[in-house]
Amino acid sequence: SAVGRGPEVPFRSEAYGISAIARGKELRLTLSALDPAAGPPAQDLVFRFGMSGSFRLCPAAELPRHAHLRFLTRESPPRALCFVDPRRFGSWRLGDAWQPERGPCVVSEYQAFRENVLKNLEDRAFDKPICEVLLNQKYFNGIGNYLRAEILYRSKIPPFEKARTVLEALKEREQERRKKDPSMTLSKKVKLRQENPDLLELCHSVPMEVIMAEKQLLDPEHPDNYSSFKNWLQCYLVPGMSSLRDRSGRTIWFQGEPGPMAPKGEPRKAPRKKSPQLKAEPESPSPKVSSFVAKEEQEVKEEQEEQEVKEEQEEQADRPRKGRARGRRTVSAAPAPPEVPQSVRRSRRTSARRGTGEPGSA
């Protein structure tokens, strides 16, 4: 689009296909001509989605707002595969290279991810609370804000427990288990993980739940599906749960005690949903009680609206201004007359009464 910030894609082909592969929070698209002999060489693009980026397939005549990159089909009528990003935190770059600072994917490279964490526990990154470390893509590539809340809730770990303390204990339990039963079969290991998964196993299984049910949970075009996603959540934005802002400014949702490294201040608590029996005796509203779920949703809405206004201004600035190219005269508003000080107005009224009785002229 005219206001897109990504690089121009140097790929032109009358007939081509698109394939994709994901790794953590990145997605790589490969554009390849259907006739490799006659078409251009394949082109790779690596996407990051930010907070609001997504792909959407829609009629080419009905492009959604903020469709910053579009791939057109040759159907009649044509459709467009669009990279839509209202808040413009997402991006794409040319080439097939993943970001070098990102670790193995928690979903597709689970064993390498697990080893990468446990062999690097001396890293200073693990001096931080576990809730903050779970957002470190060097070690937890693919974990975001809602996933960390769900993972910690299921593992019953306080979010502000020191990360190294949590993971070293996990490592010790794993070593003891191997010593007790070195000949444990793979099927028995899988069964144990399913019955009592540890934190790193949950970093794999919880995202997998969303991926397996993504058509029902994450389709923004169908409100009923988003309701299904909200029902799937057990902790994040759930009424009755507590929340605190971590040191990076992100809100972590949890239940129970926050942990020894929690920032100062009492946790905020989202009010529980009232049962039908309580509606007969409504409680008087308290200024201290508010719906933090509604507040967060309102903050997101306001930020999105602010971004839309900013983009509209950018689009207006990019458009040619009508009339100037034809030499039309611009008409400017007449300057407002200077305001007369109050003391001067009072003196004029006084002199008018003392003189002819008519108000003085300025």
PDB file of all heavy atoms in Angstrom, residues 234-256:
ATOM      1  N   GLN A 234      -7.958 -19.590  30.656  1.00  0.00           N
ATOM      2  CA  GLN A 234      -8.196 -19.928  32.056  1.00  0.00           C
ATOM      3  C   GLN A 234      -7.711 -18.849  33.012  1.00  0.00           C
ATOM      4  O   GLN A 234      -8.135 -18.799  34.157  1.00  0.00           O
ATOM      5  CB  GLN A 234      -7.496 -21.250  32.394  1.00  0.00           C
ATOM      6  CG  GLN A 234      -7.987 -22.437  31.591  1.00  0.00           C
ATOM      7  CD  GLN A 234      -7.266 -23.718  31.958  1.00  0.00           C
ATOM      8  OE1 GLN A 234      -6.804 -23.892  33.095  1.00  0.00           O
ATOM      9  NE2 GLN A 234      -7.160 -24.642  31.000  1.00  0.00           N
ATOM     10  N   CYS A 235      -6.821 -17.971  32.534  1.00  0.00           N
ATOM     11  CA  CYS A 235      -6.220 -16.973  33.425  1.00  0.00           C
ATOM     12  C   CYS A 235      -6.200 -15.579  32.819  1.00  0.00           C
ATOM     13  O   CYS A 235      -6.615 -14.615  33.460  1.00  0.00           O
ATOM     14  CB  CYS A 235      -4.802 -17.417  33.797  1.00  0.00           C
ATOM     15  SG  CYS A 235      -3.924 -16.269  34.885  1.00  0.00           S
ATOM     16  N   TYR A 236      -5.721 -15.454  31.594  1.00  0.00           N
ATOM     17  CA  TYR A 236      -5.517 -14.150  30.958  1.00  0.00           C
ATOM     18  C   TYR A 236      -6.850 -13.431  30.759  1.00  0.00           C
ATOM     19  O   TYR A 236      -7.761 -13.965  30.112  1.00  0.00           O
ATOM     20  CB  TYR A 236      -4.807 -14.352  29.620  1.00  0.00           C
ATOM     21  CG  TYR A 236      -4.488 -13.086  28.861  1.00  0.00           C
ATOM     22  CD1 TYR A 236      -3.425 -12.278  29.251  1.00  0.00           C
ATOM     23  CD2 TYR A 236      -5.237 -12.711  27.757  1.00  0.00           C
ATOM     24  CE1 TYR A 236      -3.115 -11.126  28.547  1.00  0.00           C
ATOM     25  CE2 TYR A 236      -4.933 -11.553  27.044  1.00  0.00           C
ATOM     26  CZ  TYR A 236      -3.881 -10.766  27.448  1.00  0.00           C
ATOM     27  OH  TYR A 236      -3.572  -9.624  26.761  1.00  0.00           O
ATOM     28  N   LEU A 237      -6.970 -12.232  31.338  1.00  0.00           N
ATOM     29  CA  LEU A 237      -8.177 -11.408  31.245  1.00  0.00           C
ATOM     30  C   LEU A 237      -9.407 -12.059  31.858  1.00  0.00           C
ATOM     31  O   LEU A 237     -10.533 -11.641  31.599  1.00  0.00           O
ATOM     32  CB  LEU A 237      -8.490 -11.046  29.779  1.00  0.00           C
ATOM     33  CG  LEU A 237      -7.487 -10.155  29.042  1.00  0.00           C
ATOM     34  CD1 LEU A 237      -7.950  -9.951  27.598  1.00  0.00           C
ATOM     35  CD2 LEU A 237      -7.329  -8.806  29.712  1.00  0.00           C
ATOM     36  N   VAL A 238      -9.206 -13.079  32.682  1.00  0.00           N
ATOM     37  CA  VAL A 238     -10.335 -13.805  33.260  1.00  0.00           C
ATOM     38  C   VAL A 238     -10.779 -13.125  34.552  1.00  0.00           C
ATOM     39  O   VAL A 238      -9.944 -12.815  35.415  1.00  0.00           O
ATOM     40  CB  VAL A 238      -9.944 -15.272  33.527  1.00  0.00           C
ATOM     41  CG1 VAL A 238     -11.024 -15.992  34.316  1.00  0.00           C
ATOM     42  CG2 VAL A 238      -9.680 -15.990  32.212  1.00  0.00           C
ATOM     43  N   PRO A 239     -12.083 -12.858  34.725  1.00  0.00           N
ATOM     44  CA  PRO A 239     -12.570 -12.243  35.964  1.00  0.00           C
ATOM     45  C   PRO A 239     -12.178 -13.055  37.189  1.00  0.00           C
ATOM     46  O   PRO A 239     -12.222 -14.290  37.182  1.00  0.00           O
ATOM     47  CB  PRO A 239     -14.092 -12.230  35.775  1.00  0.00           C
ATOM     48  CG  PRO A 239     -14.291 -12.221  34.297  1.00  0.00           C
ATOM     49  CD  PRO A 239     -13.170 -13.043  33.744  1.00  0.00           C
ATOM     50  N   GLY A 240     -11.765 -12.349  38.254  1.00  0.00           N
ATOM     51  CA  GLY A 240     -11.332 -12.999  39.475  1.00  0.00           C
ATOM     52  C   GLY A 240      -9.830 -13.172  39.574  1.00  0.00           C
ATOM     53  O   GLY A 240      -9.309 -13.407  40.669  1.00  0.00           O
ATOM     54  N   MET A 241      -9.105 -13.054  38.448  1.00  0.00           N
ATOM     55  CA  MET A 241      -7.651 -13.170  38.466  1.00  0.00           C
ATOM     56  C   MET A 241      -7.009 -11.826  38.824  1.00  0.00           C
ATOM     57  O   MET A 241      -7.617 -10.766  38.634  1.00  0.00           O
ATOM     58  CB  MET A 241      -7.131 -13.645  37.106  1.00  0.00           C
ATOM     59  CG  MET A 241      -7.588 -15.036  36.726  1.00  0.00           C
ATOM     60  SD  MET A 241      -6.922 -16.285  37.844  1.00  0.00           S
ATOM     61  CE  MET A 241      -7.935 -17.702  37.396  1.00  0.00           C
ATOM     62  N   SER A 242      -5.790 -11.894  39.331  1.00  0.00           N
ATOM     63  CA  SER A 242      -5.043 -10.681  39.677  1.00  0.00           C
ATOM     64  C   SER A 242      -4.128 -10.302  38.530  1.00  0.00           C
ATOM     65  O   SER A 242      -3.821 -11.124  37.657  1.00  0.00           O
ATOM     66  CB  SER A 242      -4.214 -10.910  40.947  1.00  0.00           C
ATOM     67  OG  SER A 242      -5.043 -11.266  42.030  1.00  0.00           O
ATOM     68  N   SER A 243      -3.661  -9.051  38.547  1.00  0.00           N
ATOM     69  CA  SER A 243      -2.739  -8.600  37.502  1.00  0.00           C
ATOM     70  C   SER A 243      -1.769  -7.581  38.064  1.00  0.00           C
ATOM     71  O   SER A 243      -2.084  -6.846  38.999  1.00  0.00           O
ATOM     72  CB  SER A 243      -3.507  -7.993  36.322  1.00  0.00           C
ATOM     73  OG  SER A 243      -4.177  -6.807  36.704  1.00  0.00           O
ATOM     74  N   LEU A 244      -0.564  -7.586  37.491  1.00  0.00           N
ATOM     75  CA  LEU A 244       0.486  -6.620  37.824  1.00  0.00           C
ATOM     76  C   LEU A 244       1.240  -6.285  36.552  1.00  0.00           C
ATOM     77  O   LEU A 244       1.306  -7.102  35.631  1.00  0.00           O
ATOM     78  CB  LEU A 244       1.467  -7.193  38.854  1.00  0.00           C
ATOM     79  CG  LEU A 244       1.097  -7.131  40.334  1.00  0.00           C
ATOM     80  CD1 LEU A 244       2.094  -7.935  41.154  1.00  0.00           C
ATOM     81  CD2 LEU A 244       1.061  -5.689  40.830  1.00  0.00           C
ATOM     82  N   ARG A 245       1.828  -5.105  36.514  1.00  0.00           N
ATOM     83  CA  ARG A 245       2.715  -4.764  35.407  1.00  0.00           C
ATOM     84  C   ARG A 245       4.137  -5.175  35.761  1.00  0.00           C
ATOM     85  O   ARG A 245       4.634  -4.853  36.840  1.00  0.00           O
ATOM     86  CB  ARG A 245       2.669  -3.260  35.113  1.00  0.00           C
ATOM     87  CG  ARG A 245       1.372  -2.824  34.449  1.00  0.00           C
ATOM     88  CD  ARG A 245       1.506  -1.420  33.891  1.00  0.00           C
ATOM     89  NE  ARG A 245       0.276  -0.966  33.269  1.00  0.00           N
ATOM     90  CZ  ARG A 245      -0.088  -1.238  32.027  1.00  0.00           C
ATOM     91  NH1 ARG A 245       0.707  -1.970  31.264  1.00  0.00           N
ATOM     92  NH2 ARG A 245      -1.222  -0.788  31.538  1.00  0.00           N
ATOM     93  N   ASP A 246       4.789  -5.903  34.842  1.00  0.00           N
ATOM     94  CA  ASP A 246       6.178  -6.274  35.093  1.00  0.00           C
ATOM     95  C   ASP A 246       7.091  -5.095  34.780  1.00  0.00           C
ATOM     96  O   ASP A 246       6.627  -4.013  34.421  1.00  0.00           O
ATOM     97  CB  ASP A 246       6.561  -7.528  34.295  1.00  0.00           C
ATOM     98  CG  ASP A 246       6.465  -7.316  32.786  1.00  0.00           C
ATOM     99  OD1 ASP A 246       6.528  -6.157  32.329  1.00  0.00           O
ATOM    100  OD2 ASP A 246       6.337  -8.314  32.052  1.00  0.00           O
ATOM    101  N   ARG A 247       8.393  -5.307  34.872  1.00  0.00           N
ATOM    102  CA  ARG A 247       9.336  -4.199  34.710  1.00  0.00           C
ATOM    103  C   ARG A 247       9.465  -3.715  33.274  1.00  0.00           C
ATOM    104  O   ARG A 247      10.035  -2.660  33.016  1.00  0.00           O
ATOM    105  CB  ARG A 247      10.703  -4.608  35.266  1.00  0.00           C
ATOM    106  CG  ARG A 247      10.712  -4.695  36.792  1.00  0.00           C
ATOM    107  CD  ARG A 247      11.949  -5.392  37.316  1.00  0.00           C
ATOM    108  NE  ARG A 247      11.936  -5.472  38.774  1.00  0.00           N
ATOM    109  CZ  ARG A 247      11.232  -6.373  39.479  1.00  0.00           C
ATOM    110  NH1 ARG A 247      10.481  -7.259  38.850  1.00  0.00           N
ATOM    111  NH2 ARG A 247      11.274  -6.377  40.797  1.00  0.00           N
ATOM    112  N   SER A 248       8.939  -4.474  32.344  1.00  0.00           N
ATOM    113  CA  SER A 248       8.933  -4.027  30.946  1.00  0.00           C
ATOM    114  C   SER A 248       7.618  -3.347  30.585  1.00  0.00           C
ATOM    115  O   SER A 248       7.430  -2.951  29.437  1.00  0.00           O
ATOM    116  CB  SER A 248       9.192  -5.212  30.010  1.00  0.00           C
ATOM    117  OG  SER A 248       8.156  -6.171  30.129  1.00  0.00           O
ATOM    118  N   GLY A 249       6.701  -3.234  31.541  1.00  0.00           N
ATOM    119  CA  GLY A 249       5.439  -2.542  31.293  1.00  0.00           C
ATOM    120  C   GLY A 249       4.317  -3.437  30.806  1.00  0.00           C
ATOM    121  O   GLY A 249       3.214  -2.953  30.553  1.00  0.00           O
ATOM    122  N   ARG A 250       4.566  -4.739  30.660  1.00  0.00           N
ATOM    123  CA  ARG A 250       3.519  -5.665  30.208  1.00  0.00           C
ATOM    124  C   ARG A 250       2.725  -6.177  31.408  1.00  0.00           C
ATOM    125  O   ARG A 250       3.278  -6.415  32.489  1.00  0.00           O
ATOM    126  CB  ARG A 250       4.134  -6.847  29.452  1.00  0.00           C
ATOM    127  CG  ARG A 250       4.998  -6.478  28.264  1.00  0.00           C
ATOM    128  CD  ARG A 250       4.216  -5.888  27.124  1.00  0.00           C
ATOM    129  NE  ARG A 250       3.231  -6.813  26.587  1.00  0.00           N
ATOM    130  CZ  ARG A 250       3.512  -7.745  25.673  1.00  0.00           C
ATOM    131  NH1 ARG A 250       4.740  -7.884  25.211  1.00  0.00           N
ATOM    132  NH2 ARG A 250       2.563  -8.532  25.220  1.00  0.00           N
ATOM    133  N   THR A 251       1.434  -6.380  31.230  1.00  0.00           N
ATOM    134  CA  THR A 251       0.572  -6.855  32.301  1.00  0.00           C
ATOM    135  C   THR A 251       0.579  -8.374  32.347  1.00  0.00           C
ATOM    136  O   THR A 251       0.351  -9.032  31.331  1.00  0.00           O
ATOM    137  CB  THR A 251      -0.870  -6.351  32.100  1.00  0.00           C
ATOM    138  OG1 THR A 251      -0.865  -4.920  32.094  1.00  0.00           O
ATOM    139  CG2 THR A 251      -1.770  -6.832  33.228  1.00  0.00           C
ATOM    140  N   ILE A 252       0.866  -8.920  33.537  1.00  0.00           N
ATOM    141  CA  ILE A 252       0.823 -10.358  33.738  1.00  0.00           C
ATOM    142  C   ILE A 252      -0.383 -10.690  34.613  1.00  0.00           C
ATOM    143  O   ILE A 252      -0.614 -10.063  35.639  1.00  0.00           O
ATOM    144  CB  ILE A 252       2.137 -10.883  34.382  1.00  0.00           C
ATOM    145  CG1 ILE A 252       2.023 -12.386  34.706  1.00  0.00           C
ATOM    146  CG2 ILE A 252       2.514 -10.085  35.636  1.00  0.00           C
ATOM    147  CD1 ILE A 252       1.956 -13.272  33.509  1.00  0.00           C
ATOM    148  N   TRP A 253      -1.170 -11.670  34.171  1.00  0.00           N
ATOM    149  CA  TRP A 253      -2.338 -12.132  34.910  1.00  0.00           C
ATOM    150  C   TRP A 253      -1.990 -13.421  35.633  1.00  0.00           C
ATOM    151  O   TRP A 253      -1.293 -14.278  35.094  1.00  0.00           O
ATOM    152  CB  TRP A 253      -3.505 -12.348  33.946  1.00  0.00           C
ATOM    153  CG  TRP A 253      -3.996 -11.067  33.345  1.00  0.00           C
ATOM    154  CD1 TRP A 253      -3.439 -10.368  32.317  1.00  0.00           C
ATOM    155  CD2 TRP A 253      -5.129 -10.313  33.763  1.00  0.00           C
ATOM    156  NE1 TRP A 253      -4.160  -9.228  32.069  1.00  0.00           N
ATOM    157  CE2 TRP A 253      -5.206  -9.165  32.935  1.00  0.00           C
ATOM    158  CE3 TRP A 253      -6.106 -10.497  34.745  1.00  0.00           C
ATOM    159  CZ2 TRP A 253      -6.211  -8.223  33.072  1.00  0.00           C
ATOM    160  CZ3 TRP A 253      -7.111  -9.558  34.877  1.00  0.00           C
ATOM    161  CH2 TRP A 253      -7.154  -8.434  34.054  1.00  0.00           C
ATOM    162  N   PHE A 254      -2.497 -13.567  36.872  1.00  0.00           N
ATOM    163  CA  PHE A 254      -2.124 -14.736  37.677  1.00  0.00           C
ATOM    164  C   PHE A 254      -3.154 -14.942  38.779  1.00  0.00           C
ATOM    165  O   PHE A 254      -4.056 -14.122  38.995  1.00  0.00           O
ATOM    166  CB  PHE A 254      -0.727 -14.538  38.279  1.00  0.00           C
ATOM    167  CG  PHE A 254      -0.611 -13.341  39.188  1.00  0.00           C
ATOM    168  CD1 PHE A 254      -0.757 -13.467  40.565  1.00  0.00           C
ATOM    169  CD2 PHE A 254      -0.376 -12.073  38.665  1.00  0.00           C
ATOM    170  CE1 PHE A 254      -0.662 -12.361  41.397  1.00  0.00           C
ATOM    171  CE2 PHE A 254      -0.276 -10.961  39.493  1.00  0.00           C
ATOM    172  CZ  PHE A 254      -0.416 -11.103  40.864  1.00  0.00           C
ATOM    173  N   GLN A 255      -2.967 -16.041  39.509  1.00  0.00           N
ATOM    174  CA  GLN A 255      -3.816 -16.354  40.660  1.00  0.00           C
ATOM    175  C   GLN A 255      -2.924 -16.626  41.855  1.00  0.00           C
ATOM    176  O   GLN A 255      -1.894 -17.281  41.739  1.00  0.00           O
ATOM    177  CB  GLN A 255      -4.690 -17.578  40.367  1.00  0.00           C
ATOM    178  CG  GLN A 255      -5.688 -17.902  41.458  1.00  0.00           C
ATOM    179  CD  GLN A 255      -6.516 -19.120  41.124  1.00  0.00           C
ATOM    180  OE1 GLN A 255      -5.978 -20.172  40.780  1.00  0.00           O
ATOM    181  NE2 GLN A 255      -7.832 -19.005  41.198  1.00  0.00           N
ATOM    182  N   GLY A 256      -3.305 -16.116  43.025  1.00  0.00           N
ATOM    183  CA  GLY A 256      -2.528 -16.356  44.233  1.00  0.00           C
ATOM    184  C   GLY A 256      -1.460 -15.303  44.450  1.00  0.00           C
ATOM    185  O   GLY A 256      -1.561 -14.162  43.999  1.00  0.00           O
TER     186      GLY A 256
END
